[in-house]
Amino acid sequence: MLGYVVRRLLALVPVLLIVATVGFFLIYLTPGDPAAVMLGPDATQEDLANLRQLMGLDRPLLVQLARWYSRTLRGDLGYSIFLQRPVLQAIVERLEPTLLLTVLSLAIATAIGIPAGVVAAVRRNSWIDQASMGVALFGVSMPNFWLGLNLILIFSVWLGLLPVAGYVPVEQSLAGALRSLVLPAVTLGFSGSALIARMTRSSMLEVLGQDFIRTARAKGNAERRVVFRHALRNAMIPTVTVIGLAMGGLLAGAIVTETVFALPGVGRLVISSVLRRDYPVIQGVLMFIAAIYVLVNLLIDVLYVYLDPRVKYA
């Protein structure tokens, strides 16, 4: 197991290099000039040329890429053009609301998705099954920003129960931080729960039709024990895989959700950096999210061993 984990961690390096290279060229293919954005419409050509030279943007693209590789391999993600601080520091400063939002959203998605999928499978073709899958289809199809705006309208504007937008740091008030993240987490978690519910139902239906389930029932085990002890555990491997994929989707969805709820997280940092053409920040956040995504998938692979003893890693 340890050797497998080490090999997967080493495989992280080429994956990040590919992500970094593709992201680097895609970012530079987008129209716009950071120097022009910084200096404004009244800047002269000489001012623009001087600023491009100062930031190294006048050099050939491959030279810029090589310099960025060199800095990144030393753990330096660069310096933000507009924030005037290291990119890593800018990410760390905005990490708290994004991580809390992602964890809460995943908890909500799992808490809704797995029970809904189990109930739908056990009550197959009943009205509960149809209703659960109908809600799941609605959740998959619905844009996050639309749900977020409607939740703000109902729970903040009409009922006045929760804040419209903004974030209270944990160091000021844990309860305030959680209260400010309820609506964003529900917005993200509901769409994630739909995918988990559909996968859980599909896996449960497959497992419930197998011989060992019939054997468990023939031995006189209670239906609750058969479902939760024998069927659910064997159906969890594909569900856990989907939960891992949902983690990446929640990180990506946080970009839109943080903008809707004005949360000062990494998602808003990405949006503002794209609008300002702050290339170092965009590249740094891209690498950061890619690393988290790969590490989450590694964690999911390790969980397989504990869910299914037949899975062995050399």
Side-chain angles (χ1 to χ4, degrees), residues 29 59-60 72 74 103-104 131 147 263 301 314:
L29 283 175
R59 301 187 179 184
T72 304
R74 297 196 303 269
V103 171
L104 288 175
L147 177 61
L263 298 176
D301 287 347

Side-chain angles (χ1 to χ4, degrees), residues 115-137:
V118 171
V119 171
V122 173
R123 305 293 183 187
R124 184 182 184 185
N125 295 329
S126 67
W127 68 269
I128 296 178
D129 181 19
Q130 300 297 329
S132 300
M133 291 303 102
V135 173
L137 181 62

Side-chain angles (χ1 to χ4, degrees), residues 171-209:
E171 60 183 8
Q172 291 185 16
S173 170
L174 177 60
L178 295 176
R179 192 165 178 266
S180 60
L181 289 175
V182 169
L183 291 184
V186 171
T187 302
L188 268 180
F190 184 67
S191 59
S193 68
L195 187 60
I196 294 174
R198 293 182 68 83
M199 179 53 69
T200 303
R201 177 185 181 274
S202 175
S203 302
M204 283 291 292
L205 286 177
E206 182 179 348
V207 172
L208 287 172

Side-chain angles (χ1 to χ4, degrees), residues 48-69:
L48 291 174
N50 290 335
L51 187 56
R52 290 191 193 106
Q53 183 180 10
L54 182 64
M55 294 189 299
L57 298 175
D58 60 333
R59 301 187 179 184
L61 201 57
L62 292 179
V63 174
Q64 295 183 47
L65 178 61
R67 293 184 61 191
W68 187 72
Y69 275 154

